[in-house]
Amino acid sequence: MILKNKVALVTGGTSGIGKATALAFGAAGAKVVFSGRREAEGEATATLIRDAGAECLFVRSDVSIEADVQALVEKTIATYGRLDCAFNNAGIEPPTKPLHEQSIEDFDKVMSINVRGLFLCMKYEIQQMLSQGSGAIVNTSSVGGLFGFPSFAPYVASKHAVMGLTRSAALDYAKQGIRINAVNPGPIETEMNDRILEKMGATVDIFDSIVPMGRMGQAEEIAQAVVFLCSDAASYITGQPLVVDGGATVS
Ligand code: NAD
């Protein structure tokens, strides 16, 4: 219960890493607010969190729309009175192809959600955290936020931008009680990875050779890293990437 009595927000919480983290926040004792664009999946996840014994609220919200993001933070404060932890996780992937074949429309779409959306979330979350004098933010980057990957240029650029936002904002608020870190997953078994493998015409076997642990990660393994970074156990950590990748980027 390392987040007991904390209020925790998750974006992109209707599936994958976000859903697992919303559940993990609840299990760690937090009151959970999570957002997504899919109403039915959101309400189903909210039922799971409540059945496990935590208080929770699902808010339908698109991170690329400023009014939605502002309303999400306002509803969090109106319902639970404060905001202690925020996991900015909503993200999409563009088609998998070399840079010269990528369209400007796909590039703009990835940036509008993965970068602009995350910037908007931080802007409104930090306003609330400044008024409280405390808070912890974790942004979902990727191992693609630290290294290049062929056929993923717009995605990799967006996840490097997440690192830039994380590091700079961490410096802005280090003296004001707000810690800001990133989590950098390797290949994790989610709907996004299913889509990427399908586009590449590949199967999960490719991770046997790429990942030293010989398997994809589970969303719950990212969720535990996020809970740690949001907790007081990480009280002297800010501006850092936490790589959770089965050893993929070590060699
Ligand atoms: P996912 O597709 O299951 O989850 C992405 C979530 O973001 C979905 O719930 C989706 O509805 C939501 N979302 C997308 N656009 C949104 C918007 N405009 N507003 C609100 N919500 C929106 O896949 P996932 O793997 O759980 O991805 C979560 C995050 O993890 C993403 O940022 C992704 O880039 C990152 N990531 C994933 C992997 C992986 O291997 N799965 C690796 C590294 C990083």
Side-chain angles (χ1 to χ4, degrees), residues 26-245:
K31 293 170 183 150
V32 184
V33 180
F34 71 99
S35 75
R37 294 169 302 176
R38 295 175 287 178
E39 193 93 41
E41 285 84 348
E43 290 307 338
T45 301
T47 301
L48 282 178
I49 296 170
R50 288 189 195 111
D51 286 352
E55 286 185 55
C56 111
L57 173 72
F58 167 67
V59 180
R60 194 175 179 284
S61 172
D62 183 329
V63 296
S64 64
I65 300 172
E66 182 169 8
D68 274 21
V69 174
Q70 189 171 6
L72 173 63
V73 174
E74 282 173 5
K75 277 181 196 160
T76 303
I77 309 313
T79 308
Y80 296 124
R82 53 187 293 115
L83 175 62
D84 299 295
C85 317
F87 181 38
N88 299 317
N89 165 74
I92 59 166
E93 77 288 358
T96 308
K97 45 191 171 185
L99 191 147
H100 75 282
E101 293 175 15
Q102 297 275 356
S103 72
I104 190 67
E105 290 79 15
D106 285 332
F107 181 87
D108 286 346
K109 194 170 171 202
V110 168
M111 291 296 163
S112 78
I113 294 172
N114 295 12
V115 183
R116 187 177 178 277
L118 186 135
F119 168 82
L120 286 172
C121 291
M122 289 176 79
K123 182 175 162 68
Y124 287 100
E125 291 156 0
I126 288 168
Q127 285 175 14
Q128 173 61 27
M129 289 174 176
L130 280 173
S131 73
Q132 300 168 183
S134 66
I137 292 175
V138 178
N139 296 320
T140 304
S141 179
S142 165
V143 290
L146 302 169
F147 301 95
F149 285 92
S151 295
F152 277 96
Y155 181 81
V156 165
S158 76
K159 294 301 184 180
H160 273 67
V162 169
M163 289 314 306
L165 290 170
T166 301
R167 290 178 172 128
S168 299
L171 296 175
D172 281 343
Y173 306 106
K175 286 201 169 63
Q176 285 149 293
I178 303 172
R179 295 184 299 101
I180 303 172
N181 291 292
V183 68
N184 299 62
I188 307 300
E189 202 173 333
T190 65
E191 290 174 17
M192 179 179 286
N193 226 320
D194 291 347
R195 290 191 297 269
I196 291 172
L197 286 172
E198 197 181 323
K199 283 178 204 163
M200 292 168 66
T203 64
V204 291
D205 301 341
I206 67 164
F207 298 114
D208 292 355
S209 53
I210 296 171
V211 181
M213 284 189 179
R215 64 170 176 87
M216 272 199 281
Q218 299 300 306
E220 293 71 19
E221 294 176 294
I222 305 301
Q224 291 308 319
V226 177
V227 168
F228 162 70
L229 285 174
C230 285
S231 76
D232 292 341
S235 56
Y236 201 47
I237 303 176
T238 198
Q240 296 299 322
L242 177 48
V243 177
V244 186
D245 69 348

